[in-house]
Amino acid sequence: MKNKRHISQQDIARRLGVAVSTVSRALRGLPGVSDDLREKVHQIASENNYRPNPFALSLRFDAPHIIGVIVPDIATYFFSSILKSIEECAQSHGYFSIIMTSNERYEEEVRAVQNLVNMHVDGIIACLSQETTDYSHFLDLKDISMPIVLYDRICKKELFSTVTADDSRSAKMATHYLQKHGSKRIAFLGGPNRLNIVTDRKHGYIEALHEKKITIDPSLVICHAMEYNTGLIDTLALLDLPEPPDSILAMNDTLAFAAMEAIKSRNLSIPSDIALIGYTDEAHAKYVEPKLTAVRHDTKSMGRKACELLLDQINGNTEPQHAVVSTRLEVRESTRS
């Protein structure tokens, strides 16, 4: 009975007492291998369920069909759904994907870039970490002509192709919705001001207030880390103001869920006491109590477009291109109607 366990080229080479490169040449039909040895290699490979490793082959023979993707936090629905779309697009064009996580840390992001370069990937798709203020590791990629596309959190648009959401427009739309349904003191709960998604969404929020001739109250605008505990602390600070907000626009769902817990801890009702809108529309936004009104991102389009722009660069188009993906407001129970 045949042994059906997987076998590697190294195993075959060891059995026959030849070099791994000889086994590889035999399996690939290249010259320099005798007919007798070639037949033995194929027989052992067939009997032992040999399967080529496309990743190893791409590196060994300098014919890569691999792209690298750097994500700040793979655990969130927002990023994992973008990754799924990138993978689907890459596979449909004959590419494999290597996923690396920065864990929202600059040093890990730099290490991820270096590792992907060392793996000889064809190109890199990346989203900046919350800590990133130095972009030299991305500029180095330009120096070695490595195709790169930045998505969601971006930098240096004059140099890099980008895929973003319509952040300013969507924040303006969400703020107008709160105003339309009775909110007078709308707070903005944001992340680090160095990130484009923070500045753009804050800009849309401020524009909406200006259009209604409402003076900006700096105490209602808090921009720290996009972390759950930070969101809790910042929301409690908002609730402790002499004139607390009657609604909050949180710039991602992590902050929105933190705000929800903080509001409930003060025995306040959502939305009758404080209305709440989140961002990115995580899958569990529909399962919290009350169900969260949120700005929904088209993550499938974001991932696909990022992959398409990267493949376009790989195929020779080096001019920076910029795609903006539309969002929509999913109205649920956390806002007044």
Side-chain angles (χ1 to χ4, degrees):
M1 185 176 179
K2 292 182 180 180
N3 180 4
K4 286 299 181 181
R5 75 175 181 86
H6 287 290
I7 194 172
S8 69
Q9 290 188 15
Q10 288 87 347
D11 295 328
I12 298 172
R14 197 177 301 115
R15 290 193 187 190
L16 295 174
V18 298
V20 175
S21 58
T22 302
V23 172
S24 176
R25 295 180 72 82
L27 291 171
R28 296 167 66 221
L30 298 177
V33 183
S34 69
D35 291 341
D36 181 56
L37 181 56
R38 190 185 307 277
E39 183 178 342
K40 289 179 180 178
V41 169
H42 279 282
Q43 182 178 353
I44 293 174
S46 175
E47 290 176 350
N48 292 275
N49 200 27
Y50 169 75
R51 295 289 184 273
N53 181 335
F55 175 60
L57 287 173
S58 69
L59 299 182
R60 187 176 300 125
F61 301 110
D62 198 27
H65 292 290
I66 301 169
I67 63 172
V69 186
I70 301 173
V71 60
D73 182 0
I74 201 170
T76 66
Y77 173 80
F78 175 69
F79 286 120
S80 62
S81 56
I82 290 176
L83 289 177
K84 180 181 178 181
S85 181
I86 291 173
E87 278 200 306
E88 289 174 350
C89 178
Q91 288 177 7
S92 71
H93 288 84
Y95 283 78
F96 296 90
S97 304
I98 298 175
I99 312 301
M100 293 199 168
T101 306
S102 69
N103 295 307
E104 296 286 11
R105 298 188 181 281
Y106 168 73
E107 289 183 358
E108 292 190 38
E109 180 180 283
V110 172
R111 191 177 305 119
V113 169
Q114 293 170 343
N115 288 338
L116 290 172
V117 170
N118 292 338
M119 290 177 187
H120 304 285
V121 297
D122 270 2
I124 296 173
I125 300 173
C127 176
L128 273 59
S129 79
Q130 289 192 58
E131 290 185 354
T132 301
T133 55
D134 179 356
Y135 311 124
S136 56
H137 52 304
F138 293 123
L139 296 174
D140 289 343
L141 297 179
K142 296 293 289 185
D143 292 340
I144 62 173
S145 300
M146 171 70 74
I148 177 169
V149 173
L150 300 178
Y151 67 99
D152 192 47
R153 309 177 198 166
I154 63 169
C155 66
K156 303 288 184 183
K157 287 184 68 174
E158 69 278 11
L159 297 176
F160 303 119
S161 291
T162 64
V163 179
T164 56
D166 57 352
D167 289 312
S168 181
R169 186 200 69 84
S170 61
K172 183 177 177 180
M173 168 187 65
T175 306
H176 276 323
Y177 182 87
L178 291 169
Q179 292 169 330
K180 178 181 176 182
H181 293 279
S183 294
K184 304 297 184 184
R185 286 180 57 77
I186 304 171
F188 180 84
L189 192 58
N193 281 306
R194 57 182 168 269
L195 296 176
N196 62 290
I197 58 173
V198 178
T199 57
D200 288 347
R201 292 173 194 177
K202 184 164 62 174
H203 175 74
Y205 157 83
I206 290 172
E207 266 201 333
L209 297 183
H210 280 161
E211 287 185 4
K212 296 295 183 180
K213 301 189 181 340
I214 297 173
T215 302
I216 309 300
D217 182 346
S219 69
L220 293 178
V221 180
I222 301 183
C223 294
H224 296 139
M226 292 184 291
E227 298 171 352
Y228 193 86
N229 287 340
T230 302
L232 276 174
I233 293 168
D234 288 345
T235 304
L236 291 172
L238 287 170
L239 299 179
D240 286 338
L241 290 172
E243 292 184 72
D246 56 14
S247 60
I248 296 174
L249 174 60
M251 69 153 290
N252 72 359
D253 283 353
T254 298
L255 294 176
F257 295 142
M260 188 174 284
E261 180 177 337
I263 293 167
K264 289 179 178 179
S265 75
R266 294 293 176 84
N267 295 316
L268 296 171
S269 174
I270 304 171
S272 57
D273 293 320
I274 300 182
L276 180 62
I277 293 181
Y279 246 90
T280 66
D281 200 27
E282 298 280 352
H284 38 291
K286 293 179 279 191
Y287 306 117
V288 292
E289 178 62 38
K291 296 176 182 178
L292 181 66
T293 295
V295 176
R296 171 174 285 189
H297 286 63
D298 185 352
T299 51
K300 184 173 183 178
S301 292
M302 290 187 77
R304 184 183 67 249
K305 194 61 183 177
C307 184
E308 289 173 350
L309 290 183
L310 187 71
L311 295 176
D312 198 33
Q313 282 187 55
I314 291 171
N315 291 327
N317 185 355
T318 58
E319 286 298 313
Q321 301 179 68
H322 306 293
V324 179
V325 178
S326 297
T327 58
R328 69 177 187 268
L329 186 65
E330 289 287 341
V331 178
R332 299 193 182 96
E333 299 169 353
S334 67
T335 48
R336 307 175 191 98
S337 57

